[in-house]
């Protein structure tokens, strides 16, 4: 929370100076571009005549119209309750986004044809590679955090070497090193397990640090109270410290999960048929790269939104014991 | 060794680095005895009672609690701790658990008491500290005084042989001090062995069998409340009492 002040300020987007500035900036911005070739200019034809010969007057008229629409839009949204504001702004940004993709003249039948395979093969592979890696990374993180906080020199040395190494190398390089390096030692490893191993080790290293800071955020008094009742280390950790560290750990961990979902695309370089790999290869034959890339992009985004929603739910659950 | 001795400290010394916190402390606590330890801040009184359940380690001398010697290599420290209740200045309740669960956790997880029985015991002791109606709330929803009483109930649920109080009223708002002291007085009346670090001199006068005054890591003076408040023998004690009773 930003805990807003109790003194009621006038709504920003209704302040005359703000509206005027916004109008001016938008006007100048669109004056700077030559919009005479766009479909918006076509709409302006009754006012400016033939767009291509309308010159400076045409530019000004187009920019002026856009600035009026934009400013009016913002001012009107300013009257709505906050929930509507959020909804409308999301919707408008989404529409702009779609309009942007429209300019690519994507072939929808091609997307429709390839989408089932993209999902049944690509999304499924991406999901299970990420899911398994997340579980392993979390286990590594708990062990690593305990080791980094322990007074045992060996444990600390191993854990700090591990986090330093795996945070210090690019993930892409780790993927190559594991896939190509392990066979040198005699372990011939398939692409999928190699990818999972690389992702788990890399994210385990980041999450070790998150878990460590979470555990450290718990007051010493909790340890003492727990000890004074005769709880051993494992019990203290499992029942007292970790449950309280979770609200601290969850937001950055959610971040890591989302990041992991997208970084799983890096295992495409060793030929795992996950979402990114298919997005690159399916469109290649017919040079319809954009169709597949944008589809995959949308799928990644939707998966991330699912994770965001899950994270929000969990955060709400753990906030319960803090409510007064 | 006398069976009625609960805590025995002999020639105990402790250092924090070069700083000598406890200097050659000798103290025996008998069963049913109520002891109040007072003294200026930094005198080592909290450190001393934290040595009694080995939240702190002493470096020289012997501490025996309930017949078990405390030292660095003991394997059964949990047995000793589950017999020694401790109440902290800042309550240290487990904020992610309900009041009831705070009280049930120890018996269930350390002593293996079945849930039903643990609940019964917990409710009994919550009743005794007079807050059974708060059982299903979380600690943050309670006032300071209520939280401290829950902390007392939580310790009592372990059926300890002795209770240690580490300035239990120092973090409380003034109007909540008396509800906690009343609870402690009742506990004393029921025959609980208690060692209290506190500056509540009224409580010391009314409840203590012995008052111990510590300064600079040493026990300066020990005696019954009448002796201690009536004819303090040492200048340091007189000074401390005059300062603390001035207002």
């Amino acid at each position: 929370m930003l805990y807003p002040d109790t003194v009621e300020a006038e709504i920003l987007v209704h302040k005359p100076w703000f509206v005027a500035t916004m109008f001016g900036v938008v006007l100048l911005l669109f004056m700077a571009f030559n919009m005479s070739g766009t479909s918006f200019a076509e709409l302006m034809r009754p006012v400016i005549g033939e767009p291509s010969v309308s010159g400076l007057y045409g530019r000004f008229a187009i920019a002026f119209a856009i600035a009026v629409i934009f400013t009016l839009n913002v001012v009107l949204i300013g009257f709505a309750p906050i929930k509507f504001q959020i909804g409308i702004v999301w919707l408008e940004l989404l529409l702009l986004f779609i309009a942007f993709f429209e300019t690519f003249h994507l072939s929808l039948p091609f997307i429709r044809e390839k989408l089932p395979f993209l999902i049944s093969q690509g999304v499924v592979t991406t999901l299970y590679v990420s899911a398994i890696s997340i579980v392993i990374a979390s286990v590594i993180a708990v062990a690593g955090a305990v080791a980094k906080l322990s007074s045992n020199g060996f444990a600390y040395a191993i854990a700090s070497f591990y986090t330093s190494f795996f945070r210090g190398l690019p993930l892409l390089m780790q993927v190559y090193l594991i896939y190509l390096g392990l066979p040198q030692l005699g372990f011939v490893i398939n692409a999928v397990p190699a990818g999972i191993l690389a992702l788990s080790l890399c994210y385990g290293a980041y999450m070790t640090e998150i878990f460590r800071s979470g555990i450290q955020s718990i007051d010493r008094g909790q340890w003492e109270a727990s000890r004074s009742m005769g709880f051993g280390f494992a019990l203290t950790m499992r029942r007292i410290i970790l449950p309280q560290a979770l609200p601290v750990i969850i937001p950055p961990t959610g971040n890591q999960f989302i990041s992991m979902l997208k970084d799983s695309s890096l295992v495409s370089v060793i030929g795992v048929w996950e979402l990114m790999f298919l997005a690159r290869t399916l469109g290649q034959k017919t040079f319809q790269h954009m169709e597949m890339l944008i589809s995959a992009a949308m799928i990644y985004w939707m998966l991330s939104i699912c994770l965001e929603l899950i994270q929000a739910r969990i955060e709400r659950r753990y906030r319960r014991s803090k409510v007064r | 060794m006398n069976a009625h001795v609960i805590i025995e400290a002999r020639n105990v010394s402790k250092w924090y680095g070069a700083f000598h916190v406890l200097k050659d402390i000798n103290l025996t606590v008998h069963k049913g005895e109520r002891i109040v330890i007072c003294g200026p801040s930094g005198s080592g009184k909290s450190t001393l009672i934290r040595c009694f359940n080995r939240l702190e380690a002493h470096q020289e001398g012997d501490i025996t609690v309930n017949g078990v010697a405390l030292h660095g290599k003991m394997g059964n420290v949990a047995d000793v701790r589950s017999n020694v209740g401790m109440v902290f200045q800042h309550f240290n309740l487990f904020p992610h658990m309900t009041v009831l669960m705070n009280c049930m956790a120890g018996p269930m997880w350390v002593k293996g008491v079945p849930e039903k029985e643990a609940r019964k015991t917990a409710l009994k002791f919550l009743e005794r500290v007079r807050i059974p109606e708060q059982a299903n709330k979380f600690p943050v929803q309670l006032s300071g005084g209520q939280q401290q009483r829950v902390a007392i109930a939580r310790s009592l649920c372990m059926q300890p042989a002795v209770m240690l109080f580490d300035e239990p009223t120092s973090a409380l708002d003034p109007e909540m001090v008396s509800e906690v002291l009343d609870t402690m007085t009742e506990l004393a009346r029921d025959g609980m062995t208690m060692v209290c670090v506190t500056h509540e001199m009224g409580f010391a006068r009314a409840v203590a069998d012995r008052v111990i005054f510590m300064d600079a890591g040493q026990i300066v003076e020990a005696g019954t409340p009448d002796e201690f408040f009536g004819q303090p023998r040492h200048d340091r004690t007189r000074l401390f009492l005059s300062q603390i009773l001035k207002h």
Side-chain angles (χ1 to χ4, degrees):
Chain A
M1 276 302 272
L2 285 175
Y3 299 111
D5 205 340
T6 51
V7 180
E8 195 62 55
E10 202 190 335
I11 297 167
L12 180 69
V13 294
H14 290 167
K15 284 183 180 160
W17 68 264
F18 186 83
V19 175
T21 315
M22 183 168 57
F23 184 85
V25 168
V26 176
L27 184 70
L28 286 176
L29 199 68
F30 280 91
M31 285 275 283
F33 293 105
N34 188 0
M35 303 278 289
S36 58
T38 62
S39 39
F40 191 79
E42 286 302 319
L43 285 176
M44 296 280 289
R45 189 182 280 270
V47 187
I48 58 173
E50 172 58 33
S52 54
V53 297
S54 58
L56 201 60
Y57 167 68
R59 272 197 182 203
F60 176 76
I62 291 170
F64 186 81
I66 289 176
V68 167
I69 293 171
F70 185 90
T71 310
L72 208 61
N73 178 41
V74 171
V75 170
L76 284 180
I77 291 175
F79 284 111
I82 184 157
K83 284 226 163 104
F84 279 97
Q85 286 181 345
I86 297 170
I88 294 171
V89 172
W90 258 82
L91 203 69
E92 288 186 349
L93 289 174
L94 212 58
L95 284 175
L96 279 180
F97 206 55
I98 291 171
F100 172 63
F101 284 152
E102 248 322 283
T103 60
F104 294 172
H105 303 294
L106 300 179
S107 155
L108 286 180
F110 180 75
I111 292 179
R112 217 170 293 134
E113 182 200 333
K114 299 288 187 192
L115 201 58
F117 184 63
L118 202 61
I119 290 173
S120 67
Q121 173 64 39
V123 173
V124 169
T125 310
T126 291
L127 278 183
Y128 91 71
V129 166
S130 326
I132 295 176
S133 307
I134 282 167
V135 172
I136 300 177
S138 306
V139 174
I140 293 176
V142 175
V146 170
K148 273 202 103 162
L149 292 171
S150 85
S151 46
N152 182 319
F154 288 102
Y156 179 83
I158 292 170
S160 54
F161 184 88
Y162 160 71
T163 51
S164 169
F165 183 80
F166 281 95
R167 289 202 301 174
L169 295 195
L171 177 54
L172 184 58
M173 194 172 289
Q174 291 174 31
V175 173
Y176 277 128
L177 283 180
I178 286 172
Y179 186 54
L180 304 174
L182 282 185
Q184 302 273 331
L185 298 176
F187 301 104
V188 176
I189 189 167
N190 280 331
V192 171
I196 290 175
L197 193 59
L199 283 170
S200 310
L201 287 172
C202 180
Y203 276 84
Y206 284 106
M207 280 163 62
T208 292
E209 294 298 317
I210 293 172
F211 276 58
R212 179 187 57 74
S213 65
I215 291 170
Q216 274 180 320
S217 73
I218 303 304
D219 184 53
R220 182 180 180 160
Q222 292 293 312
W223 286 91
E224 290 182 346
S226 183
R227 290 254 159 82
S228 76
M229 290 169 70
F231 295 0
F233 175 78
L235 194 59
T236 301
M237 204 66 198
R238 194 163 46 101
R239 299 284 207 167
I240 307 299
I241 304 302
L242 281 182
Q244 291 186 62
L246 275 183
V248 184
I249 290 173
I250 284 170
T253 300
N255 239 349
Q256 293 292 306
F257 281 14
I258 290 171
S259 172
M260 153 100 77
L261 182 76
K262 292 171 297 157
D263 276 354
S264 69
S265 63
L266 288 174
V267 304
S268 65
V269 296
I270 53 175
V272 177
W273 281 31
E274 47 69 74
L275 191 50
M276 185 68 205
F277 182 85
L278 294 181
R280 271 193 307 133
T281 48
L282 284 181
Q284 236 159 22
K285 259 176 266 167
T286 46
F287 298 105
Q288 284 167 308
H289 297 292
M290 266 305 165
E291 276 82 353
M292 285 296 96
L293 286 180
I294 288 172
S295 308
M298 290 297 102
I299 292 173
Y300 273 121
W301 190 14
M302 279 188 279
L303 293 177
S304 300
I305 288 175
C306 290
L307 284 181
E308 277 171 23
L309 292 177
I310 294 171
Q311 182 189 343
R313 259 192 100 99
I314 298 177
E315 272 183 50
R316 232 178 335 206
R317 202 182 102 89
Y318 275 106
R319 212 176 302 147
R320 202 185 40 184
S321 64
K322 298 222 163 141
V323 178
R324 268 174 196 274
Chain B
M1 190 180 143
N2 191 335
H4 291 301
V5 172
I6 303 273
I7 297 174
E8 175 144 54
R10 248 180 299 159
N11 308 106
V12 172
S13 274
K14 174 173 177 58
W15 286 264
Y16 281 129
F19 178 55
H20 202 166
V21 212
L22 298 178
K23 295 173 189 159
D24 198 27
I25 300 281
N26 286 289
L27 180 65
T28 308
V29 182
H30 295 273
K31 188 167 169 21
E33 221 180 355
R34 277 88 58 169
I35 291 182
V36 165
I37 304 178
C38 59
S41 68
S43 59
K45 50 199 193 310
S46 284
T47 309
L48 178 63
I49 69 163
R50 286 160 63 86
C51 284
F52 291 161
N53 64 351
R54 211 171 162 86
L55 282 183
E56 304 278 355
H58 59 285
Q59 276 97 34
E60 272 176 21
D62 302 303
I63 298 178
T64 311
V65 174
N66 233 1
V68 182
L70 304 185
H71 54 81
K73 287 178 181 163
M74 60 193 303
N76 53 348
V77 67
D79 294 344
V80 174
R81 284 174 179 160
S82 59
N83 266 321
V84 180
M86 186 161 215
V87 175
F88 299 87
Q89 182 178 359
H90 295 287
F91 330 137
N92 293 350
L93 292 175
F94 303 132
H96 59 301
M97 299 178 184
T98 60
V99 163
L100 187 63
M101 199 56 214
N102 263 282
C103 294
M104 288 164 64
M108 275 167 66
W109 299 340
V110 178
K111 295 191 164 173
V113 174
E115 184 177 342
K116 217 171 176 183
E117 205 187 312
R119 183 186 303 272
K120 228 174 86 191
T121 316
L123 285 172
K124 185 179 96 188
F125 283 112
L126 285 174
E127 192 99 39
R128 188 151 155 201
V129 300
R130 295 192 303 274
I131 33 175
E133 70 281 2
Q134 313 283 6
N136 291 313
K137 289 195 180 163
F138 284 96
V140 282
Q141 295 167 296
L142 270 52
S143 74
Q146 289 173 325
Q147 288 193 47
Q148 194 60 298
R149 284 186 284 150
V150 172
I152 293 173
R154 175 176 71 172
S155 291
L156 290 177
C157 283
M158 296 293 284
Q159 323 268 10
V162 53
M163 290 279 284
L164 308 175
F165 291 85
D166 188 0
E167 305 202 27
T169 55
S170 303
L172 294 175
D173 289 335
E175 79 269 24
M176 291 170 185
V177 170
S178 71
E179 63 183 65
V180 170
L181 289 182
D182 287 347
T183 308
M184 289 167 64
T185 308
E186 276 169 37
L187 205 57
R189 233 168 254 147
D190 293 347
M192 174 60 78
T193 315
M194 296 162 71
V195 182
C196 315
V197 171
T198 183
H199 290 139
E200 300 295 339
M201 290 300 130
F203 173 78
R205 218 189 276 265
V207 171
D209 297 315
R210 248 192 303 163
V211 181
I212 287 170
F213 175 68
M214 282 182 74
D215 188 29
Q218 284 171 312
I219 293 181
V220 176
E221 183 160 354
T224 64
D226 287 343
E227 292 165 5
F228 184 79
F229 293 108
Q231 311 98 29
R233 288 191 299 270
H234 292 263
D235 290 344
R236 189 69 192 85
T237 317
R238 273 193 286 273
L239 180 65
F240 176 76
L241 285 176
S242 73
Q243 279 166 340
I244 207 165
L245 299 174
K246 194 155 48 184
H247 300 286

